[in-house]
Amino acid sequence: MTAMVKAEGIHKSFGAVQVLKGIDLEVQTGEVFCLIGPSGSGKSTFLRCINHLEKINAGRLYVDGELVGYRQKGDKLYELKDSEVALKRRDIGMVFQRFNLFPHMTAAENVMEAPVQVKGVSRAQARERARELLEKVGLGDKAGNYPSQLSGGQQQRVAIARALAMEPKLMLFDEPTSALDPELVGDVLDVMRDLAESGMTMVVVTHEMGFAREVGDSLVFMDGGVVVESGNPRDVLTNPQEERTQSFLSKVL
Amino acid sequence: MTVDVNKTDGPADTPPAGPEAIKAIPVRHPGRYVSAAIALGLLGSIVYAFAQGNINWGAVPEYFFNDRVIEGLLNTLLLTVVSMLIGIVGGILLAVMRLSKNPVTSSIAWFYIWFFRGTPVLVQLFVWFNLGIVFTYINLGPIYKDYWSVFMTPLLTALLGLGLNEAAYMAEICRAGLLSVDEGQTEASHALGMSHAKTLRRIVIPQAMRVIVPPTGNEVINMLKTTSLVSAVGYMDLFKVAQDIGQRAGSVVEMFFLASAWYLILTSVFSVGQYYLERYYAKGSTRSLPPTPVQRFKAAVLPARRPKGVSA
């Protein structure tokens, strides 16, 4: 197996606040990689560094063997142009906690937007693909609805379809179910489970320990900007070694 | 846009079937009759005063469709539309400049807005007209060369004066609109690999329009009225024409009434346009839009026919 994401000593600070204090980890191709931890532990920030929505201050971050946000020539780093960053982001899908669907477009238009605008796919082809993807997330009959006409769970599934439309090789999930009513969480997790079974590489920031245990291949517990414990989710969740992991899990489980 | 016409059928507040509805004698409001009578009395006395005044009312319809009036009207419309276009394009440019990370461009935009908002537009018009003191010639190399006074026609003065002034106001409206769009939208768009320009054009601006359109409609109506200032630099707009005719025909006040009537008609037409534009950009924001007056009329008059876009 090769590493889809490789992080070496990632540091990130917002002003004087250090959010990431040296993260080292590897996400293997095809695995579901779960990030858990208390809020403010830096897990969402780390996720956002992977597609360069946040710039790291130190360390090296690689996606599919390529440096994120920079090009290395000799021992010098050159910042990538915006267009080059955009080119790399095409291959990385992202799903946000608050969906961030485009409210002025229907569900189908949301899914079609990036393939048409970024990849230059024909509208007819994109529409057909959008229909398939919406069908896949169980929303075939909602193609013509605007986001305001959909429930939170439905919106999040459209957001997943929108990310998949770019045919990414890596999917990032930033607390995808945290803004949902409890009864709607299941539908979204089902879609993610299907996606995992299809072999997609997924990095998931989540508070859903059940999902992490069932679907996750690896799990990392973060606190205070560092990785506290990592391993197989079933081992870590049932038999945590570190004290901080134990106290966190005792509160959420 | 499909609208379910059936939903609007019937009064909304029909009492539900079941328990007997309450039948009570409503509270009387004698004060309302008194205040209505006073208001009507005052209104009547104003109308009476105008009717008694030495006004030749016949002059208004006589000149209403006069060739010169129509020409002035078209000039006013031309001025309104082109000045607004200059204002909108300039405003978007200035707003983007102000929001840019480049300190030079954002300072220039700030200075421009400070200057043009801080001086009266009438003064600006006179300055443009008389800028020959600074620039004796205008020289664009082989393309164009002439005296400033020849180059600066009343029309050009009016367009520059009004348009550049408007750009300062539109810049603030556009900036407010762009800032009103949630940052998550930009992030989602970037995460999909869309460029800054595409994000702005496809995602941010369409949503900003909801905030931008209503005050812009206001600006258009303001602009229509502000164009009357350009009579001061000799441009033949509706107001200037009305003044000229009034002085020659000895019916000055009558022509002001005529001009007022035309301004009212134009602002009313613009208001209708604004209503439909706002509906267009409200797309996706409300669960279902109420039918337009036209759709309501059609639904009431032609119950058998279905409005366009509704499939059976």
Side-chain angles (χ1 to χ4, degrees):
Chain A
M1 278 222 271
T2 52
M4 178 59 85
V5 180
K6 194 171 166 199
E8 294 172 350
I10 306 298
H11 284 75
K12 167 74 189 171
S13 42
F14 294 107
V17 185
Q18 247 202 321
V19 184
L20 301 178
K21 303 170 187 167
I23 303 285
D24 296 281
L25 54 79
E26 270 189 29
V27 178
Q28 304 304 323
T29 302
E31 79 169 339
V32 176
F33 189 97
C34 295
L35 280 166
I36 62 167
S39 46
S41 59
K43 51 196 193 314
S44 286
T45 305
F46 177 72
L47 194 74
R48 292 159 58 82
C49 290
I50 296 176
N51 66 352
H52 207 47
L53 283 178
E54 305 287 355
K55 267 187 200 166
I56 58 175
N57 300 120
R60 292 282 190 280
L61 187 55
Y62 301 89
V63 170
D64 208 11
E66 287 181 55
L67 211 51
V68 174
Y70 302 92
R71 184 187 305 111
Q72 188 154 18
K73 263 189 198 163
D75 55 354
K76 274 194 185 148
L77 280 187
Y78 295 86
E79 229 179 301
L80 290 184
K81 283 188 282 186
D82 288 343
S83 56
E84 294 170 307
V85 173
L87 198 64
K88 295 201 169 177
R89 282 184 182 141
R90 289 182 184 195
D91 297 332
I92 307 173
M94 185 159 190
V95 175
F96 298 85
Q97 182 177 354
R98 297 191 50 242
F99 329 135
N100 295 347
L101 287 182
F102 306 134
H104 57 301
M105 299 179 186
T106 61
E109 285 166 350
N110 263 283
V111 180
M112 290 163 61
E113 182 66 10
V116 171
Q117 294 297 325
V118 179
K119 281 189 172 169
V121 175
S122 77
R123 290 194 71 82
Q125 223 176 325
R127 192 180 300 280
E128 179 60 25
R129 181 83 183 117
R131 206 188 49 75
E132 282 171 24
L133 284 166
L134 287 173
E135 203 77 54
K136 192 171 153 189
V137 298
L139 294 171
D141 55 334
K142 302 285 185 194
N145 287 40
Y146 285 98
S148 64
Q149 298 165 322
L150 300 172
S151 74
Q154 291 170 335
Q155 288 189 48
Q156 193 61 299
R157 284 184 279 155
V158 174
I160 294 173
R162 177 176 72 175
L164 290 177
M166 289 299 282
E167 279 153 6
K169 55 190 179 194
L170 169 66
M171 284 283 284
L172 309 176
F173 291 84
D174 187 3
E175 301 195 27
T177 57
S178 295
L180 298 178
D181 290 342
E183 53 173 352
L184 303 175
V185 168
D187 292 339
V188 174
L189 292 182
D190 286 343
V191 168
M192 289 170 64
R193 195 171 287 128
D194 289 347
L195 197 56
E197 273 162 22
S198 75
M200 175 66 75
T201 312
M202 295 159 68
V203 182
V204 186
V205 172
T206 188
H207 292 295
E208 294 293 328
M209 300 304 155
F211 176 83
R213 188 180 313 123
E214 277 176 54
V215 185
D217 298 304
S218 309
L219 180 134
V220 156
F221 172 70
M222 277 175 72
D223 192 16
V226 292
V227 172
V228 175
E229 193 167 349
S230 60
N232 184 298
R234 283 158 289 276
D235 298 341
V236 177
L237 290 174
T238 47
N239 187 20
Q241 300 300 310
E242 299 288 328
E243 199 186 316
R244 265 192 289 177
T245 318
Q246 288 164 3
S247 78
F248 174 76
L249 289 175
S250 70
K251 280 174 204 153
V252 297
L253 283 180
Chain B
M1 194 81 250
T2 59
V3 175
D4 190 353
V5 184
N6 295 327
K7 272 185 191 158
T8 61
D9 279 348
D13 51 356
T14 1
E20 195 191 341
I22 292 174
K23 279 183 200 135
I25 290 142
V27 178
R28 305 290 176 202
H29 297 283
R32 289 183 189 170
Y33 292 99
V34 176
S35 53
I38 293 172
L40 281 176
L42 285 173
L43 194 64
S45 60
I46 292 171
V47 172
Y48 179 73
F50 270 84
Q52 283 298 101
N54 185 19
I55 294 170
N56 174 21
W57 288 108
V60 176
E62 188 186 335
Y63 284 99
F64 208 74
F65 296 107
N66 179 288
D67 286 348
R68 289 191 59 206
V69 170
I70 296 298
E71 199 193 320
L73 185 75
L74 291 177
N75 281 341
T76 289
L77 272 176
L78 172 80
L79 211 53
T80 308
V81 171
V82 179
S83 306
M84 261 335 275
L85 283 179
I86 296 173
I88 290 170
V89 172
I92 293 172
L93 197 69
L94 283 167
V96 172
M97 277 170 76
R98 266 210 77 176
L99 293 172
S100 85
K101 285 178 191 138
N102 185 336
V104 177
T105 54
S106 77
S107 309
I108 289 173
W110 180 89
F111 180 81
Y112 180 100
I113 294 166
W114 172 77
F115 182 81
F116 280 91
R117 276 207 313 185
T119 52
V121 67
L122 185 58
V123 176
Q124 287 172 27
L125 283 170
F126 279 120
V127 169
W128 280 111
F129 203 48
N130 294 297
L131 221 52
I133 291 172
V134 185
F135 310 102
T136 322
Y137 292 102
I138 176 151
N139 189 348
L140 301 177
I143 309 162
Y144 185 87
K145 185 180 177 186
D146 213 331
Y147 286 103
W148 183 269
S149 53
V150 178
F151 165 73
M152 236 338 137
T153 58
L155 174 65
L156 197 58
T157 311
L159 286 178
L160 276 177
L162 295 176
L164 296 185
N165 182 67
E166 186 57 33
Y169 287 90
M170 284 307 301
E172 290 298 271
I173 292 174
C174 294
R175 192 168 68 99
L178 293 176
L179 288 177
S180 75
V181 179
D182 182 41
E183 224 173 306
Q185 294 290 311
T186 315
E187 270 183 5
S189 172
H190 283 166
L192 286 166
M194 287 170 75
S195 65
H196 286 306
K198 279 227 165 99
T199 301
L200 203 60
R201 193 165 58 80
R202 297 282 310 171
I203 308 301
V204 177
I205 289 179
Q207 292 180 63
M209 287 308 272
R210 269 182 55 211
V211 175
I212 292 174
V213 167
T216 303
N218 234 4
E219 290 295 310
V220 172
I221 285 168
N222 249 329
M223 177 61 84
L224 181 74
K225 296 181 298 176
T226 309
T227 53
S228 61
L229 288 181
V230 302
S231 58
V233 291
Y235 185 66
M236 278 297 172
D237 76 316
L238 177 59
F239 182 56
K240 174 85 172 150
V241 168
Q243 266 180 313
D244 284 4
I245 294 176
Q247 271 158 12
R248 229 166 279 169
S251 47
V252 178
V253 183
E254 289 80 351
M255 289 306 111
F256 290 160
F257 286 147
L258 178 143
S260 303
W262 269 119
Y263 281 119
L264 273 173
I265 291 171
L266 291 180
T267 49
S268 307
V269 170
F270 280 147
S271 304
V272 174
Q274 187 185 353
Y275 172 81
Y276 282 97
L277 200 61
E278 279 178 30
R279 275 179 71 90
Y280 175 77
Y281 282 111
K283 214 166 50 165
S285 65
T286 36
R287 275 155 207 266
S288 63
L289 290 167
T292 64
V294 177
Q295 286 168 335
R296 243 177 277 166
F297 176 79
K298 273 187 188 161
V301 178
L302 313 161
R305 227 192 273 172
R306 282 172 170 277
K308 260 187 282 174
V310 175
S311 51

